[in-house]
Amino acid sequence: MQRYELWKIIERWALRIAGVAFLGTPLWLFLTHRSEPARIAGGILLLPCGFWAFWQLLHEDKLGTNARVSGAERAMYRGWIWTRRVVLGTVALVVASGAIVILAMGGPLSAVVAMAAFSAISGWVAVYGGGRSQSFDDDRRTHRERARRYD
C-alpha cells in the first residue's frame, strides 16, 4: 500500500470519528444540560464543525471531477457555504468592532493590527473558503470551481 493511500484511509477514519464526535456532543449536551447555556453554545460551535467533517468526508474529493452532482451533495454544499459565511462573517465583524473599540480607547496598536489581520482573514475565508494549498493563492479559483460545480 502506498503512503498516499494510507494517509487517505487515516484521513477518512479521522473525519468519521470527528464528525460523530462533533455531532454527538451537542446531542449529549442537550440531553444532559437542560437549563444551561452549554447546550446552546455546544450546538452553535460544534454542529458546523460536524457538518464540515462530513462534507470533507463525502464530497470534497469530487471537486475537479466530472462526477454527477446529487441533490444531497448540492444541499450540503449550500448548507456549508451559508454556515461558513454566517459564522466566519460574524467572527470577522465582531473582531473588527473590537479592534475599532480598542483603537478608539487608545489601546495598544499591536492589538489593533493583530485583530484587524484576524478579521480580514476571517472575512476572506467567509467569502471564498479555503483552497487546496495553505496559502491564499488558489482560494478564489477553488471557490469559482465549486460554484460552477454546484450551481
Side-chain angles (χ1 to χ4, degrees), residues 121 124-125 128-143 146:
I121 291 169
W124 177 271
V125 176
Y128 295 112
R132 293 185 181 113
S133 67
Q134 293 183 355
S135 69
F136 294 116
D137 291 346
D138 69 338
D139 291 349
R140 290 191 327 192
R141 182 177 58 247
T142 304
H143 173 73
R146 286 187 183 115

PDB file of all heavy atoms in Angstrom, residues 121 124-125 128-143 146:
ATOM      1  N   ILE A 121      -8.660  38.027   7.593  1.00  0.00           N
ATOM      2  CA  ILE A 121      -8.520  36.616   7.218  1.00  0.00           C
ATOM      3  C   ILE A 121      -9.845  35.892   7.397  1.00  0.00           C
ATOM      4  O   ILE A 121     -10.260  35.110   6.537  1.00  0.00           O
ATOM      5  CB  ILE A 121      -7.390  35.951   8.026  1.00  0.00           C
ATOM      6  CG1 ILE A 121      -6.046  36.523   7.589  1.00  0.00           C
ATOM      7  CG2 ILE A 121      -7.417  34.435   7.860  1.00  0.00           C
ATOM      8  CD1 ILE A 121      -4.892  36.147   8.498  1.00  0.00           C
ATOM      9  N   TRP A 124     -12.134  36.897   4.580  1.00  0.00           N
ATOM     10  CA  TRP A 124     -11.719  36.269   3.325  1.00  0.00           C
ATOM     11  C   TRP A 124     -12.213  34.814   3.261  1.00  0.00           C
ATOM     12  O   TRP A 124     -12.781  34.380   2.270  1.00  0.00           O
ATOM     13  CB  TRP A 124     -10.202  36.318   3.211  1.00  0.00           C
ATOM     14  CG  TRP A 124      -9.657  35.638   2.000  1.00  0.00           C
ATOM     15  CD1 TRP A 124      -9.297  34.328   1.886  1.00  0.00           C
ATOM     16  CD2 TRP A 124      -9.428  36.217   0.715  1.00  0.00           C
ATOM     17  NE1 TRP A 124      -8.852  34.058   0.625  1.00  0.00           N
ATOM     18  CE2 TRP A 124      -8.912  35.209  -0.123  1.00  0.00           C
ATOM     19  CE3 TRP A 124      -9.596  37.496   0.194  1.00  0.00           C
ATOM     20  CZ2 TRP A 124      -8.578  35.440  -1.448  1.00  0.00           C
ATOM     21  CZ3 TRP A 124      -9.258  37.720  -1.125  1.00  0.00           C
ATOM     22  CH2 TRP A 124      -8.761  36.701  -1.926  1.00  0.00           C
ATOM     23  N   VAL A 125     -11.990  34.075   4.345  1.00  0.00           N
ATOM     24  CA  VAL A 125     -12.412  32.671   4.374  1.00  0.00           C
ATOM     25  C   VAL A 125     -13.935  32.567   4.385  1.00  0.00           C
ATOM     26  O   VAL A 125     -14.492  31.638   3.811  1.00  0.00           O
ATOM     27  CB  VAL A 125     -11.773  31.938   5.567  1.00  0.00           C
ATOM     28  CG1 VAL A 125     -12.280  30.505   5.667  1.00  0.00           C
ATOM     29  CG2 VAL A 125     -10.252  31.936   5.439  1.00  0.00           C
ATOM     30  N   TYR A 128     -14.646  33.260   0.463  1.00  0.00           N
ATOM     31  CA  TYR A 128     -14.064  32.360  -0.539  1.00  0.00           C
ATOM     32  C   TYR A 128     -13.804  30.944  -0.044  1.00  0.00           C
ATOM     33  O   TYR A 128     -13.603  30.044  -0.857  1.00  0.00           O
ATOM     34  CB  TYR A 128     -12.753  32.937  -1.081  1.00  0.00           C
ATOM     35  CG  TYR A 128     -12.958  34.215  -1.828  1.00  0.00           C
ATOM     36  CD1 TYR A 128     -12.486  35.414  -1.332  1.00  0.00           C
ATOM     37  CD2 TYR A 128     -13.638  34.222  -3.034  1.00  0.00           C
ATOM     38  CE1 TYR A 128     -12.672  36.593  -2.020  1.00  0.00           C
ATOM     39  CE2 TYR A 128     -13.839  35.397  -3.731  1.00  0.00           C
ATOM     40  CZ  TYR A 128     -13.354  36.578  -3.214  1.00  0.00           C
ATOM     41  OH  TYR A 128     -13.556  37.746  -3.894  1.00  0.00           O
ATOM     42  N   GLY A 129     -13.732  30.736   1.247  1.00  0.00           N
ATOM     43  CA  GLY A 129     -13.362  29.415   1.740  1.00  0.00           C
ATOM     44  C   GLY A 129     -11.879  29.182   1.564  1.00  0.00           C
ATOM     45  O   GLY A 129     -11.121  30.090   1.234  1.00  0.00           O
ATOM     46  N   GLY A 130     -11.478  27.954   1.790  1.00  0.00           N
ATOM     47  CA  GLY A 130     -10.079  27.610   1.639  1.00  0.00           C
ATOM     48  C   GLY A 130      -9.839  26.888   0.327  1.00  0.00           C
ATOM     49  O   GLY A 130     -10.679  26.136  -0.145  1.00  0.00           O
ATOM     50  N   GLY A 131      -8.687  27.105  -0.233  1.00  0.00           N
ATOM     51  CA  GLY A 131      -8.315  26.423  -1.457  1.00  0.00           C
ATOM     52  C   GLY A 131      -7.656  25.096  -1.149  1.00  0.00           C
ATOM     53  O   GLY A 131      -7.799  24.539  -0.065  1.00  0.00           O
ATOM     54  N   ARG A 132      -6.904  24.618  -2.104  1.00  0.00           N
ATOM     55  CA  ARG A 132      -6.234  23.327  -1.926  1.00  0.00           C
ATOM     56  C   ARG A 132      -4.873  23.478  -1.257  1.00  0.00           C
ATOM     57  O   ARG A 132      -4.370  22.542  -0.673  1.00  0.00           O
ATOM     58  CB  ARG A 132      -6.088  22.651  -3.269  1.00  0.00           C
ATOM     59  CG  ARG A 132      -7.419  22.246  -3.839  1.00  0.00           C
ATOM     60  CD  ARG A 132      -7.239  21.452  -5.120  1.00  0.00           C
ATOM     61  NE  ARG A 132      -8.529  21.096  -5.655  1.00  0.00           N
ATOM     62  CZ  ARG A 132      -9.025  21.570  -6.789  1.00  0.00           C
ATOM     63  NH1 ARG A 132      -8.328  22.415  -7.501  1.00  0.00           N
ATOM     64  NH2 ARG A 132     -10.212  21.204  -7.202  1.00  0.00           N
ATOM     65  N   SER A 133      -4.267  24.647  -1.364  1.00  0.00           N
ATOM     66  CA  SER A 133      -2.963  24.867  -0.737  1.00  0.00           C
ATOM     67  C   SER A 133      -3.161  25.651   0.562  1.00  0.00           C
ATOM     68  O   SER A 133      -4.258  26.108   0.866  1.00  0.00           O
ATOM     69  CB  SER A 133      -2.038  25.633  -1.682  1.00  0.00           C
ATOM     70  OG  SER A 133      -2.516  26.945  -1.863  1.00  0.00           O
ATOM     71  N   GLN A 134      -2.082  25.801   1.306  1.00  0.00           N
ATOM     72  CA  GLN A 134      -2.173  26.500   2.581  1.00  0.00           C
ATOM     73  C   GLN A 134      -1.818  27.978   2.441  1.00  0.00           C
ATOM     74  O   GLN A 134      -1.283  28.585   3.350  1.00  0.00           O
ATOM     75  CB  GLN A 134      -1.258  25.835   3.608  1.00  0.00           C
ATOM     76  CG  GLN A 134      -1.716  24.447   3.976  1.00  0.00           C
ATOM     77  CD  GLN A 134      -0.850  23.837   5.041  1.00  0.00           C
ATOM     78  OE1 GLN A 134       0.141  24.387   5.462  1.00  0.00           O
ATOM     79  NE2 GLN A 134      -1.248  22.665   5.490  1.00  0.00           N
ATOM     80  N   SER A 135      -2.127  28.542   1.304  1.00  0.00           N
ATOM     81  CA  SER A 135      -1.928  29.966   1.092  1.00  0.00           C
ATOM     82  C   SER A 135      -3.211  30.524   0.488  1.00  0.00           C
ATOM     83  O   SER A 135      -4.149  29.798   0.210  1.00  0.00           O
ATOM     84  CB  SER A 135      -0.740  30.205   0.151  1.00  0.00           C
ATOM     85  OG  SER A 135      -1.073  29.760  -1.143  1.00  0.00           O
ATOM     86  N   PHE A 136      -3.230  31.822   0.284  1.00  0.00           N
ATOM     87  CA  PHE A 136      -4.419  32.461  -0.283  1.00  0.00           C
ATOM     88  C   PHE A 136      -4.426  32.415  -1.815  1.00  0.00           C
ATOM     89  O   PHE A 136      -5.365  32.899  -2.430  1.00  0.00           O
ATOM     90  CB  PHE A 136      -4.499  33.926   0.162  1.00  0.00           C
ATOM     91  CG  PHE A 136      -4.723  34.085   1.636  1.00  0.00           C
ATOM     92  CD1 PHE A 136      -3.778  34.687   2.441  1.00  0.00           C
ATOM     93  CD2 PHE A 136      -5.896  33.637   2.217  1.00  0.00           C
ATOM     94  CE1 PHE A 136      -3.995  34.833   3.790  1.00  0.00           C
ATOM     95  CE2 PHE A 136      -6.116  33.776   3.558  1.00  0.00           C
ATOM     96  CZ  PHE A 136      -5.167  34.372   4.359  1.00  0.00           C
ATOM     97  N   ASP A 137      -3.384  31.868  -2.419  1.00  0.00           N
ATOM     98  CA  ASP A 137      -3.227  31.918  -3.868  1.00  0.00           C
ATOM     99  C   ASP A 137      -4.380  31.305  -4.645  1.00  0.00           C
ATOM    100  O   ASP A 137      -4.806  31.843  -5.663  1.00  0.00           O
ATOM    101  CB  ASP A 137      -1.932  31.219  -4.292  1.00  0.00           C
ATOM    102  CG  ASP A 137      -0.703  31.986  -3.875  1.00  0.00           C
ATOM    103  OD1 ASP A 137      -0.839  33.169  -3.507  1.00  0.00           O
ATOM    104  OD2 ASP A 137       0.392  31.402  -3.905  1.00  0.00           O
ATOM    105  N   ASP A 138      -4.876  30.170  -4.204  1.00  0.00           N
ATOM    106  CA  ASP A 138      -5.874  29.471  -5.008  1.00  0.00           C
ATOM    107  C   ASP A 138      -7.280  29.494  -4.405  1.00  0.00           C
ATOM    108  O   ASP A 138      -8.154  28.786  -4.877  1.00  0.00           O
ATOM    109  CB  ASP A 138      -5.434  28.028  -5.261  1.00  0.00           C
ATOM    110  CG  ASP A 138      -5.459  27.181  -4.014  1.00  0.00           C
ATOM    111  OD1 ASP A 138      -5.409  27.738  -2.906  1.00  0.00           O
ATOM    112  OD2 ASP A 138      -5.536  25.946  -4.149  1.00  0.00           O
ATOM    113  N   ASP A 139      -7.513  30.300  -3.393  1.00  0.00           N
ATOM    114  CA  ASP A 139      -8.823  30.329  -2.742  1.00  0.00           C
ATOM    115  C   ASP A 139      -9.933  30.757  -3.699  1.00  0.00           C
ATOM    116  O   ASP A 139     -10.981  30.115  -3.776  1.00  0.00           O
ATOM    117  CB  ASP A 139      -8.816  31.254  -1.526  1.00  0.00           C
ATOM    118  CG  ASP A 139      -7.972  30.714  -0.393  1.00  0.00           C
ATOM    119  OD1 ASP A 139      -7.558  29.540  -0.470  1.00  0.00           O
ATOM    120  OD2 ASP A 139      -7.735  31.461   0.568  1.00  0.00           O
ATOM    121  N   ARG A 140      -9.723  31.848  -4.422  1.00  0.00           N
ATOM    122  CA  ARG A 140     -10.768  32.336  -5.335  1.00  0.00           C
ATOM    123  C   ARG A 140     -10.982  31.377  -6.496  1.00  0.00           C
ATOM    124  O   ARG A 140     -12.110  31.138  -6.912  1.00  0.00           O
ATOM    125  CB  ARG A 140     -10.441  33.734  -5.850  1.00  0.00           C
ATOM    126  CG  ARG A 140     -10.565  34.765  -4.762  1.00  0.00           C
ATOM    127  CD  ARG A 140     -10.518  36.161  -5.239  1.00  0.00           C
ATOM    128  NE  ARG A 140      -9.654  36.366  -6.398  1.00  0.00           N
ATOM    129  CZ  ARG A 140      -9.283  37.545  -6.837  1.00  0.00           C
ATOM    130  NH1 ARG A 140      -9.689  38.615  -6.237  1.00  0.00           N
ATOM    131  NH2 ARG A 140      -8.499  37.656  -7.882  1.00  0.00           N
ATOM    132  N   ARG A 141      -9.913  30.828  -7.025  1.00  0.00           N
ATOM    133  CA  ARG A 141     -10.035  29.877  -8.128  1.00  0.00           C
ATOM    134  C   ARG A 141     -10.806  28.624  -7.674  1.00  0.00           C
ATOM    135  O   ARG A 141     -11.714  28.162  -8.368  1.00  0.00           O
ATOM    136  CB  ARG A 141      -8.655  29.493  -8.658  1.00  0.00           C
ATOM    137  CG  ARG A 141      -8.690  28.558  -9.838  1.00  0.00           C
ATOM    138  CD  ARG A 141      -7.317  28.240 -10.408  1.00  0.00           C
ATOM    139  NE  ARG A 141      -6.423  27.645  -9.413  1.00  0.00           N
ATOM    140  CZ  ARG A 141      -5.321  28.227  -8.932  1.00  0.00           C
ATOM    141  NH1 ARG A 141      -4.976  29.434  -9.334  1.00  0.00           N
ATOM    142  NH2 ARG A 141      -4.566  27.616  -8.046  1.00  0.00           N
ATOM    143  N   THR A 142     -10.497  28.105  -6.514  1.00  0.00           N
ATOM    144  CA  THR A 142     -11.202  26.940  -5.983  1.00  0.00           C
ATOM    145  C   THR A 142     -12.658  27.281  -5.690  1.00  0.00           C
ATOM    146  O   THR A 142     -13.558  26.478  -5.949  1.00  0.00           O
ATOM    147  CB  THR A 142     -10.506  26.425  -4.709  1.00  0.00           C
ATOM    148  OG1 THR A 142      -9.130  26.155  -5.012  1.00  0.00           O
ATOM    149  CG2 THR A 142     -11.154  25.163  -4.193  1.00  0.00           C
ATOM    150  N   HIS A 143     -12.900  28.494  -5.189  1.00  0.00           N
ATOM    151  CA  HIS A 143     -14.274  28.935  -4.937  1.00  0.00           C
ATOM    152  C   HIS A 143     -15.083  28.958  -6.241  1.00  0.00           C
ATOM    153  O   HIS A 143     -16.221  28.504  -6.277  1.00  0.00           O
ATOM    154  CB  HIS A 143     -14.256  30.324  -4.296  1.00  0.00           C
ATOM    155  CG  HIS A 143     -15.601  30.946  -4.152  1.00  0.00           C
ATOM    156  ND1 HIS A 143     -16.518  30.527  -3.222  1.00  0.00           N
ATOM    157  CD2 HIS A 143     -16.197  31.951  -4.832  1.00  0.00           C
ATOM    158  CE1 HIS A 143     -17.613  31.245  -3.336  1.00  0.00           C
ATOM    159  NE2 HIS A 143     -17.445  32.121  -4.305  1.00  0.00           N
ATOM    160  N   ARG A 146     -15.916  25.397  -7.325  1.00  0.00           N
ATOM    161  CA  ARG A 146     -17.042  24.863  -6.545  1.00  0.00           C
ATOM    162  C   ARG A 146     -18.356  25.463  -6.999  1.00  0.00           C
ATOM    163  O   ARG A 146     -19.363  24.772  -7.110  1.00  0.00           O
ATOM    164  CB  ARG A 146     -16.823  25.137  -5.058  1.00  0.00           C
ATOM    165  CG  ARG A 146     -15.790  24.281  -4.419  1.00  0.00           C
ATOM    166  CD  ARG A 146     -15.745  24.502  -2.912  1.00  0.00           C
ATOM    167  NE  ARG A 146     -14.693  23.718  -2.340  1.00  0.00           N
ATOM    168  CZ  ARG A 146     -13.613  24.237  -1.747  1.00  0.00           C
ATOM    169  NH1 ARG A 146     -13.491  25.542  -1.619  1.00  0.00           N
ATOM    170  NH2 ARG A 146     -12.689  23.451  -1.248  1.00  0.00           N
TER     171      ARG A 146
END
